[in-house]
Amino acid sequence: GSVDAANLEYKIRRLRELADRIKRIKSALIEAVNEAKNERLSLVKSSFKEAFKKIYPYERIKDVDFESRIVRGHEVLYVKGKVDATWVYAHQMSTGENVALSFALLLAVNELVSSPLLLLDEPEEGLDEDGIRGLAEVLKKMKAKTQLLVATRSPLLASLLRSEGSVK
């Protein structure tokens, strides 16, 4: 049959309009996803910073934060701490500082997506008494959403967790 040029041009114009609308929708969806991701990341950062200060109540590390990097095509968050005016990474920190970072991050992520069960083997390793007290506070907060099983050699941690009937 014959092709109506005007009808064909009309259909092409409509397809281009549809393509433009789809591009705008895609752009809006990407923006909404990024906004939601940033909000969740902000919540994680806030919880992370609060928990870190409880477990690590010292002045050496003034602040903690995340840094996003692309590694092999995937976004990776690096945790860092501010010592004086310089940011340092976990591999530059002490064992106790790494324990504080790890548990603070664990608490923050667990607030977003609660794990039904968390098994901890000597979580107090590398912490002094003040750090153990802060860790106990963090673990008590976690127990509201997560069942905890803690193996410890620390009489202090055991007594702090047992004090509210949270551990037997």
Side-chain angles (χ1 to χ4, degrees), residues 34-114:
N34 285 335
E35 188 176 311
K37 179 180 118 183
N38 289 336
E39 284 177 21
R40 291 178 68 111
L41 189 58
S42 178
L43 289 172
V44 168
K45 278 185 183 186
S46 175
S47 296
F48 171 65
K49 288 177 181 221
E50 179 184 324
F52 180 80
K53 280 300 174 190
K54 286 181 183 173
I55 301 170
Y56 188 83
Y58 310 106
E59 292 300 315
R60 182 175 121 74
I61 298 179
K62 309 272 189 264
D63 190 15
V64 288
D65 204 351
F66 302 125
E67 180 179 308
S68 178
R69 295 184 191 169
I70 303 298
V71 177
R72 294 185 197 116
H74 298 283
E75 183 178 19
V76 176
L77 293 178
Y78 284 83
V79 179
K80 59 186 181 177
K82 195 167 199 174
V83 177
D84 298 322
T86 306
W87 288 99
V88 295
Y89 297 90
H91 70 278
Q92 298 168 302
M93 296 181 191
S94 72
T95 301
E97 291 165 346
N98 274 291
V99 169
L101 286 173
S102 298
F103 280 105
L105 190 56
L106 180 64
L107 171 71
V109 170
N110 197 62
E111 286 186 10
L112 284 179
V113 180
S114 296

Side-chain angles (χ1 to χ4, degrees), residues 99-141:
V99 169
L101 286 173
S102 298
F103 280 105
L105 190 56
L106 180 64
L107 171 71
V109 170
N110 197 62
E111 286 186 10
L112 284 179
V113 180
S114 296
S115 172
L117 176 65
L118 184 59
L119 307 172
L120 302 173
D121 184 22
E122 298 184 17
E124 76 286 350
E125 191 68 30
L127 297 177
D128 64 8
E129 279 192 21
D130 290 335
I132 291 171
R133 290 180 195 286
L135 176 63
E137 275 187 59
V138 168
L139 293 177
K140 285 178 184 180
K141 186 173 180 182

